[in-house]
Amino acid sequence: MVPEMPRPVVLLHPLGSDRTFWDGMPLPDGRRWAALDLPGHGTEAAPSVHGGVEGLAARVLDLADDAGLAQFDVAGVSLGGLVAQYLAVQHPDRVIGVVLIDTVATYPEAMEEMWVGRAATARSEGMSSLVGPTLDIWFTPEFRRSRPDVVEQTTRTLLSTDPEGYARTCEILASTDLTPRLADLPARTLSVCGDSDGEPFRNAAREIAAATGSTVRWLPGMHAAVLESPAEFVAHLVAFLDDDAASTPPERTSHE
């Protein structure tokens, strides 16, 4: 008898990146990994701000349908994690397990203002003005010195991002609050965070873990800790996905 293939995994990137974010990740064979572009990034058109995170999630489902993915697990970093949360609570008939990485359910007021400011900068000055602030948040100084190749690729991708798509996504981030839905996250939730990421992200990682009865998996690194510590991240990811004890979740109903 041919063994049944495990569920595919949809991979969602952070703001200012695209599906190539996952290219260097040492993901094992034997499972389908589907890295997708979010609206406003890569080959995807800019989103509607009024559509909010719901619109971003709807496009992910469209792409999953195009790829023939009926049910899947989803892993998302930062922006991708916010979209993954919405998918998990709103479409539990499609999303079985979720891995939330360096993300939040909502941003504190100071960061909401930061997103509004970054949207204005992208529109008025283009993406080059956002390279420095992004790298400062994403990578430790040690990693920037030791892995200039990763830093250069990150920079190239950010510079190739459509400024209007970036700006609209920033405005969506500033207005999103999924805090009331944390209790609706599935039991199959993994919270992952860089141990040197910003305080709002570290606090959110603990809140997500507490809401789902799990513990945070800490990675060496800052906001892009999965790039700084890819082997450690993949070890946590695969252990979660292969956890037979959690492989058959109770049936839940879509909140559409």
Side-chain angles (χ1 to χ4, degrees):
M1 179 180 295
V2 178
E4 184 178 349
M5 283 288 289
R7 271 190 308 277
V9 181
V10 168
L11 302 170
L12 302 178
H13 60 78
L15 177 72
S17 188
D18 60 21
R19 64 181 181 272
T20 64
F21 177 87
W22 303 98
D23 281 359
M25 202 64 57
L27 299 168
D29 296 332
R31 184 185 300 271
R32 184 177 179 187
W33 307 95
L36 305 179
D37 285 334
L38 289 168
H41 297 76
T43 60
E44 287 294 305
S48 162
V49 175
H50 296 298
V53 69
E54 179 180 0
L56 303 182
R59 182 56 183 156
V60 170
L61 287 181
D62 288 343
L63 294 172
D65 288 341
D66 292 343
L69 305 178
Q71 287 190 325
F72 48 88
D73 296 318
V74 59
V77 180
S78 196
L79 163 66
L82 199 63
V83 176
Q85 289 175 65
Y86 186 90
L87 286 167
V89 300
Q90 204 71 14
H91 299 281
D93 55 323
R94 302 287 303 274
V95 176
I96 307 304
V98 61
V99 182
L100 303 176
I101 309 152
D102 292 278
T103 192
V104 299
T106 191
Y107 286 96
E109 184 176 354
M111 292 195 73
E112 291 177 357
E113 295 173 356
M114 180 195 76
W115 291 131
V116 173
R118 288 200 178 185
T121 297
R123 289 186 173 113
S124 64
E125 301 177 27
M127 300 305 295
S128 59
S129 296
L130 296 165
V131 171
T134 298
L135 296 180
D136 287 344
I137 291 173
W138 275 34
F139 301 123
T140 61
E142 295 79 12
F143 185 81
R144 291 173 69 171
R145 288 192 294 267
S146 65
R147 292 298 307 272
D149 56 320
V150 176
V151 175
E152 289 167 6
Q153 178 58 46
T154 300
T155 300
R156 285 194 296 271
T157 305
L158 180 62
L159 290 173
S160 69
T161 302
D162 170 42
E164 182 61 25
Y166 181 96
R168 293 186 192 181
T169 307
C170 286
E171 291 168 342
I172 291 172
L173 291 175
S175 62
T176 299
D177 184 1
L178 298 181
T179 306
R181 304 303 302 275
L182 282 177
D184 296 327
L185 285 170
R188 281 187 52 74
T189 297
L190 177 64
S191 178
V192 180
C193 192
D195 58 11
S196 297
D197 200 355
E199 184 177 3
F201 297 101
R202 298 196 311 274
N203 289 341
R206 297 185 184 98
E207 291 168 0
I208 290 166
T212 56
S214 59
T215 57
V216 181
R217 302 300 191 265
W218 298 102
L219 299 175
M222 294 181 67
H223 195 53
V226 297
L227 298 183
E228 293 204 43
S229 304
E232 293 93 330
F233 167 66
V234 170
H236 290 309
L237 175 64
V238 171
F240 171 76
L241 295 172
D242 289 347
D243 183 2
D244 291 337
S247 62
T248 309
E251 183 177 347
R252 298 187 298 145
T253 303
S254 175
H255 293 277
E256 287 186 291

